[in-house]
Amino acid sequence: MKKQTLALAILTLALGPLATPSRADESARRYDVVVYGGTSGAVTAALQAKAMGKSVVLVSPDKHLGGLTSGGLGWTDSGRKEKVGGLAREFYARVAQAYDDPKAWKQQTREAYGERGFEPATELHPAPSAWLFEPHVAEKIYDDWVEQEGVPVVRGALLDREKGVEKKGSRIVALTTLDGTRYEGQMFIDATYEGDLMAAAGVTYAVGRESRDTYNEEWNGVQVGVLHHRHHFGYLDRPVDPYVTPGDPTSGLLPRISADPPGEYGAADHRVQAYCFRMCLTDDPDNRVPFTKPKGYDPAQYELLARIYEAGWDETFEKFDPLPNRKTDTNNHGPFSTDNIGFNYDYPDASYERRAEIIAEHEAYQKGLLYFIATDPRVPEEVRQEMNRWGLAKDEFVDNGHWPHQLYVREARRMVGEEVMTENELLKRKPITNSVGMGSYGMDSHNVQRYVTPEGYVQNEGDIGASTRGPYSISYGSLVPKRGECDNLLVPVCVSSSHIAFGSIRMEPVFMVLGQSAATAAVMAIDEDVAVQDLPYDRLRQRLVADGQVLE
């Protein structure tokens, strides 16, 4: 119990004081649908359950709603936008409405920003939409939306992962949070990035990469020698030495290079693709918070980056993607960037205390990186000068030191459910007959490890960018556990998929689509008094189409 109390204290510091339910919910805490999560998919799940006439509560482990969508990822990884329908589409329509208000343009005029990310109405989607946006705009949309629809939200409510999931046979009866609050429900939806409710309910899941042979996939498993994108060392002017004293292995490796062998090509492993924070930066002097020296800063941690500059790299600002009001969604780019490669392997199954430590280490690494680029004399002078034009946006993340409140958990647990989405389904080699939504982004895995090659140079491994050759359908079976494991749980974020398939599915618009579809299925399973695995797909499909979902 002491561990849980400590975890609650640590996470309360990170998330803010815990909220409490409204008086009406205080007496009952019994709901038709209990949604656990604060992600974009959690919000659409709760909204859909409410729209279908059921009582619902959104139990969020986070203080802020929206996950990455309100946490810095404003340069939406949308793929084919016309394949995004339903409540997800309505979200992007609400973004367009927000920017129609002249008061939204505080640091820049609409004309100066231009039409990037704005999409006109079409016959299929009759409302204009906008896909590039500031974090606070997204969060306000989510907050206003749940309030308008009367969805009760409990914030900062962490699941008691040790004994907080009460099951009777193969059904969840209730979940209990660390503060002792118990939420009974007929149906449960785990819409977290980590899959904590799913795991605590005893549902089978995977972490890391399957082998190429597990599902007969080309792009899964260890990818030694596969160099996609520009996030590796192979395209620099010369190789980069990994040792403290160049050429001397006895001097030891530089920080952030693993001494472990990378593994055999195509083999399974436990490693997880890298996480980072999607930063919202600005070059507006009146709205800029300069980069400062973080506590514990050690320039030796970034020695490898200095050598990369010496090897001719000049793409520091390649992923300062422009958002409205002179802001950016700044993402990882290059062989040594915001991705904190190799420092997250234990995150998916870690305790709350350990996750807080990992998040803090990622924040320290990334803030140190910014300070190094802005100040270290080994960084080219023109890069330092340009970097000092930028800073954190003063009007974003105002309760968190202007730093994103959500770590980009690109992948954690993945359910192994009734059906598993793989590269083969995404490439249309195997047909999907029970679609609940569509994806279209490429199969995108970020780097997983940084190692020393047999030739004695540093290299990254795991970065993949492979086309799906057009949009693909996502199966209903990937949202539900294996038959007999849990009859009343749906999982629209940690969906049942292989590592490389999840690399495409894991986009925020898709999570919103799947959250709505999961809630639709939950409500229909209540009405038909069946396990989620036994819900007739034809009737589910009719309702999804009626609600504007795009299924093929």
Side-chain angles (χ1 to χ4, degrees):
M1 195 62 199
K2 285 183 179 178
K3 273 193 168 184
Q4 291 182 351
T5 303
L6 175 61
L8 186 58
I10 292 172
L11 269 294
T12 299
L13 284 173
L15 302 172
L18 301 183
T20 55
S22 65
R23 291 184 184 277
D25 302 320
E26 208 46 76
S27 60
R29 294 202 188 93
R30 295 188 181 94
Y31 302 90
D32 296 319
V33 180
V34 177
V35 179
Y36 183 64
T39 64
S40 58
V43 175
T44 56
L47 289 168
Q48 180 67 11
K50 182 74 173 181
M52 293 181 73
K54 298 300 183 188
S55 62
V56 61
V57 62
L58 180 54
V59 182
S60 171
D62 311 305
K63 178 181 177 181
H64 300 272
L65 294 184
L68 259 299
T69 298
S70 63
L73 204 165
W75 185 269
T76 306
D77 299 314
S78 54
R80 294 274 293 275
K81 295 178 178 65
E82 71 273 15
K83 302 303 179 186
V84 178
L87 294 175
R89 191 80 190 191
E90 183 174 342
F91 169 80
Y92 296 107
R94 287 178 178 235
V95 174
Q97 290 173 0
Y99 284 111
D100 281 342
D101 183 354
K103 294 178 182 177
W105 298 91
K106 296 178 180 178
Q107 288 89 24
Q108 186 179 38
T109 65
R110 171 75 177 262
E111 292 71 27
Y113 182 73
E115 293 303 308
R116 284 171 295 198
F118 290 93
E119 297 282 329
T122 65
E123 185 176 348
L124 179 62
H125 301 295
S129 57
W131 302 75
L132 309 179
F133 46 83
E134 300 157 275
H136 76 271
V137 170
E139 184 170 2
K140 187 176 189 304
I141 288 170
Y142 287 128
D143 287 344
D144 290 350
W145 206 350
V146 294
E147 183 177 356
Q148 290 162 6
E149 300 303 327
V151 174
V153 180
V154 187
R155 299 171 189 258
L158 293 158
L159 174 68
D160 181 342
R161 290 159 59 189
E162 293 181 13
K163 58 182 188 302
V165 177
E166 182 182 335
K167 287 182 77 176
K168 185 175 182 180
S170 57
R171 294 185 69 85
I172 302 173
V173 175
L175 68 79
T176 300
T177 50
L178 284 180
D179 64 356
T181 307
R182 184 172 179 269
Y183 300 90
E184 294 182 22
Q186 295 190 66
M187 286 284 158
F188 292 81
I189 295 172
D190 183 340
T192 62
Y193 291 124
E194 295 84 4
D196 283 343
L197 175 57
M198 170 193 73
V203 171
T204 302
Y205 65 88
V207 174
R209 296 181 286 190
E210 299 91 352
S211 74
R212 293 182 77 211
D213 297 335
T214 303
Y215 298 117
N216 190 28
E217 297 175 291
E218 180 180 0
W219 301 115
N220 212 338
V222 175
Q223 297 287 312
V224 170
V226 178
L227 303 178
H228 281 193
H229 290 134
R230 295 176 69 82
H231 308 313
H232 56 82
F233 290 77
Y235 74 98
L236 302 176
D237 292 348
R238 60 178 184 270
V240 176
D241 191 292
Y243 301 111
V244 174
T245 301
D248 181 8
T250 65
S251 65
L253 291 170
L254 292 176
R256 305 193 176 269
I257 301 174
S258 173
D260 295 334
E264 297 295 322
Y265 174 72
D269 71 355
H270 67 286
R271 300 180 181 99
V272 178
Q273 62 175 308
Y275 302 165
C276 70
F277 289 94
R278 296 286 285 257
M279 301 175 298
C280 186
L281 306 183
T282 183
D283 64 352
D284 179 358
D286 295 329
N287 195 38
R288 183 180 67 215
V289 178
F291 303 127
T292 57
K293 185 177 181 178
K295 184 178 179 181
Y297 172 72
D298 178 10
Q301 291 292 316
Y302 310 97
E303 169 66 22
L304 183 57
L305 178 57
R307 295 187 187 182
I308 290 168
Y309 280 121
E310 290 172 355
W313 189 65
D314 62 353
E315 299 178 10
T316 304
F317 305 100
E318 191 74 18
K319 283 299 289 178
F320 280 45
D321 292 320
L323 303 179
N325 285 310
R326 295 181 64 174
K327 296 176 186 173
T328 72
D329 169 356
T330 297
N331 195 9
N332 178 81
H333 181 79
F336 191 107
S337 182
T338 58
D339 276 3
N340 194 7
I341 299 171
F343 284 76
N344 63 339
Y345 297 157
D346 60 334
Y347 181 90
D349 281 315
S351 65
Y352 290 132
E353 302 100 311
R354 175 62 186 141
R355 284 185 188 161
E357 292 172 355
I358 293 169
I359 292 168
E361 196 279 333
H362 276 67
E363 181 175 339
Y365 163 75
Q366 201 159 325
K367 286 182 173 178
L369 176 72
L370 296 171
Y371 186 74
F372 181 86
I373 296 172
T375 64
D376 197 276
R378 295 188 63 187
V379 175
E381 183 178 358
E382 64 273 17
V383 175
R384 278 183 279 135
Q385 289 178 350
E386 175 65 15
M387 195 67 174
N388 280 295
R389 290 183 52 246
W390 295 91
L392 302 178
K394 190 183 299 183
D395 59 349
E396 298 291 349
F397 313 120
V398 294
D399 64 347
N400 197 43
H402 316 292
W403 191 257
H405 48 70
Q406 175 65 58
L407 180 66
Y408 194 175
V409 178
R410 287 188 172 90
E411 183 176 12
R413 299 183 181 104
R414 301 183 308 279
M415 181 169 66
V416 181
E418 272 287 275
E419 299 174 28
V420 180
M421 292 291 294
T422 74
E423 170 188 306
N424 298 298
E425 284 74 23
L426 273 59
L427 290 169
K428 278 71 71 180
R429 295 172 185 151
K430 292 184 178 180
I432 295 293
T433 59
N434 55 353
S435 174
V436 288
M438 300 196 75
S440 59
Y441 202 80
M443 291 178 278
D444 179 35
S445 171
H446 280 232
N447 279 307
V448 171
Q449 60 180 324
R450 182 178 288 130
Y451 69 102
V452 180
T453 68
E455 295 78 24
Y457 299 113
V458 62
Q459 187 53 275
N460 295 337
E461 183 274 320
D463 185 78
I464 294 294
S467 173
T468 61
R469 299 173 192 165
Y472 58 87
S473 295
I474 300 169
S475 71
Y476 176 63
S478 70
L479 304 187
V480 299
K482 292 179 180 178
R483 192 174 300 274
E485 286 192 345
C486 196
D487 294 348
N488 64 336
L489 175 69
L490 294 109
V491 183
V493 175
C494 293
V495 296
S496 179
S497 58
S498 70
H499 156 73
I500 195 59
F502 191 77
S504 172
I505 295 169
R506 65 180 179 84
M507 304 305 154
E508 291 287 301
V510 178
F511 287 155
M512 284 192 272
V513 166
L514 297 182
Q516 180 179 0
S517 293
T520 305
V523 170
M524 295 183 72
I526 292 172
D527 290 342
E528 305 208 12
D529 193 24
V530 296
V532 293
Q533 294 85 355
D534 296 324
L535 182 67
Y537 174 69
D538 287 349
R539 289 201 281 278
L540 173 62
R541 177 187 175 84
Q542 289 174 7
R543 179 64 196 238
L544 296 178
V545 171
D547 286 337
Q549 294 278 48
V550 180
L551 303 183
E552 66 265 315

